[in-house]
Amino acid sequence: MVSTTRPRIAPGRLRELGPINWAVWQVLSRAAGTGDAHLFSTLGRTRGLFRGWLHYSGKLMPGGRLPRHESELVILRVAHLRECDYETDHHIRLGRRAGITPEILTRIQAGPTAPDWSAKHRALLTAVDQIVRTRDLDDETWTLLSAHYDDRSLIEFVLLVNQYEGLASTITTLRIQRDGL
């Protein structure tokens, strides 16, 4: 979703972020290839909550049990379903490093019925769609997904989908602007 409105909460700087979050924001902005990663300079205003959120997020991705390629499939599908351009922008760059080609991105946007998905990736994307649309998984989709993942990975998958769905809601609600705007 492209928002032409101003952010509801302006990105913070040293005064609003505090020295720790300011330094974290600087490092994360450089890693993201931008002078100001607006997500981090906005959420950084919450001080310790921001650092806790970063730790939790990092445990899911890149530190989760799902392979990075699959994590990026999940995140990019959530971003597409939620029309969250900010998430999409960042995860196109991160996804490239995990093997997400422009062709795969087109298939992610088309969804689980697009041709050429493996049974595993089709089950993964079907499950993403169901969680985002219904906040649940039906038994048939759960069975398909559980044929490819162990219990711990299934739990992490559900947490990952909801982390990025919630993040898309946060970005949209706060009207966080895409980097470079």
Side-chain angles (χ1 to χ4, degrees):
M1 172 184 299
V2 176
S3 175
T4 57
T5 61
R6 297 177 55 80
R8 288 186 165 156
I9 298 174
R13 295 297 176 254
L14 181 58
R15 181 180 180 152
E16 297 85 15
L17 300 176
I20 295 171
N21 287 0
W22 184 86
V24 169
W25 161 66
Q26 290 287 308
V27 169
L28 293 174
S29 290
R30 275 191 222 104
T34 183
D36 181 359
H38 293 142
L39 175 66
F40 303 124
S41 59
T42 301
L43 299 185
R45 294 173 70 117
T46 65
R47 306 277 177 123
L49 178 59
F50 172 63
R51 294 186 300 277
W53 171 79
L54 279 176
H55 178 75
Y56 172 74
S57 295
K59 287 290 194 179
L60 290 171
M61 197 292 299
R65 292 194 38 161
L66 289 179
R68 276 300 298 279
H69 182 80
E70 291 174 15
S71 293
E72 293 300 337
L73 291 176
V74 167
I75 294 163
L76 285 163
R77 184 63 182 162
V78 170
H80 175 73
L81 292 172
R82 289 300 314 275
E83 299 177 5
C84 185
D85 293 334
Y86 193 100
E87 263 182 4
T88 300
D89 291 348
H90 277 267
H91 285 278
I92 284 174
R93 285 192 301 271
L94 292 172
R96 235 180 276 138
R97 297 178 203 160
I100 304 294
T101 64
E103 185 270 334
I104 293 171
L105 180 60
T106 299
R107 282 194 292 139
I108 291 167
Q109 293 168 340
T113 61
D116 299 326
W117 288 122
S118 67
K120 181 180 187 179
H121 291 165
R122 187 175 312 281
L124 189 72
L125 293 173
T126 298
V128 170
D129 283 16
Q130 276 191 26
I131 290 172
V132 170
R133 290 188 175 127
T134 71
R135 313 303 302 148
D136 196 5
L137 287 177
D138 62 33
D139 290 339
E140 178 183 349
T141 302
W142 180 261
T143 298
L144 289 171
L145 194 62
S146 64
H148 302 285
Y149 298 97
D150 64 19
D151 290 348
R152 182 173 168 188
S153 296
L154 289 165
I155 293 167
E156 282 192 23
F157 163 76
V158 173
L159 290 169
L160 181 68
V161 171
N162 283 294
Q163 161 67 6
Y164 280 89
E165 204 280 333
L167 185 56
S169 291
T170 300
I171 291 166
T172 300
T173 302
L174 296 177
R175 310 286 191 265
I176 295 174
Q177 300 295 296
R178 294 166 79 177
D179 297 341
L181 295 181

